[in-house]
Amino acid sequence: MCLHHEKYDNSLKIISNATCTINCLAALAKVFHDNFGVMEGLMATVHAITATQKTMDIPFGDTHSSTFDCGTGFALNDHFLKLVLCFENESGYSNRLVDLIAHMVFKE
């Protein structure tokens, strides 16, 4: 679910569960910020599609929004880390949407 779900107000007419990039990045960024203090960051996204490749989402059955690949990250210096996350678009996002709806029902 989104990081600011506690600010949900049932009088709202329009809500958003953000984007796949936010659902993938925000949770890990919050953990790093809470534990180490994030002063600034750089984000890049790579989408698995090219001009000659068809889009294909294959659910992995993982209900998490993203998976942190600790083996591929590294520190460029004392203040700049490269972190790699894989976002499972179909299943992960769908599960975060269900979490948000359950939270909305609870707030009613």
Side-chain angles (χ1 to χ4, degrees):
M1 191 168 23
C2 61
L3 293 177
H4 301 293
H5 66 277
E6 71 278 355
K7 294 182 180 181
Y8 171 74
D9 178 346
N10 60 9
S11 68
L12 297 171
K13 302 292 183 208
I14 299 172
I15 60 163
S16 170
N17 202 35
T19 65
C20 59
T21 301
I22 296 301
N23 278 289
C24 182
L25 176 69
L28 185 67
K30 181 174 182 350
V31 169
F32 270 81
H33 178 67
D34 290 351
N35 289 281
F36 307 107
V38 174
M39 302 288 275
E40 60 184 321
L42 175 65
M43 179 190 75
T45 59
V46 177
H47 296 269
I49 186 170
T50 66
T52 59
Q53 178 185 13
K54 293 181 179 180
T55 303
M56 185 170 68
D57 286 330
I58 301 172
F60 297 106
D62 187 355
T63 61
H64 297 91
S65 292
S66 62
T67 302
F68 173 52
D69 187 349
C70 61
T72 58
F74 58 90
L76 296 170
N77 60 44
D78 289 342
H79 303 284
F80 196 106
L81 301 175
K82 176 184 177 185
L83 307 174
V84 177
L85 296 111
C86 300
F87 181 70
E88 204 288 281
N89 194 31
E90 191 82 22
S91 179
Y93 181 79
S94 298
N95 278 283
R96 297 302 68 77
L97 192 56
V98 169
D99 291 344
L100 179 60
I101 292 168
H103 180 72
M104 292 167 60
V105 169
F106 176 77
K107 289 293 216 171
E108 286 294 320

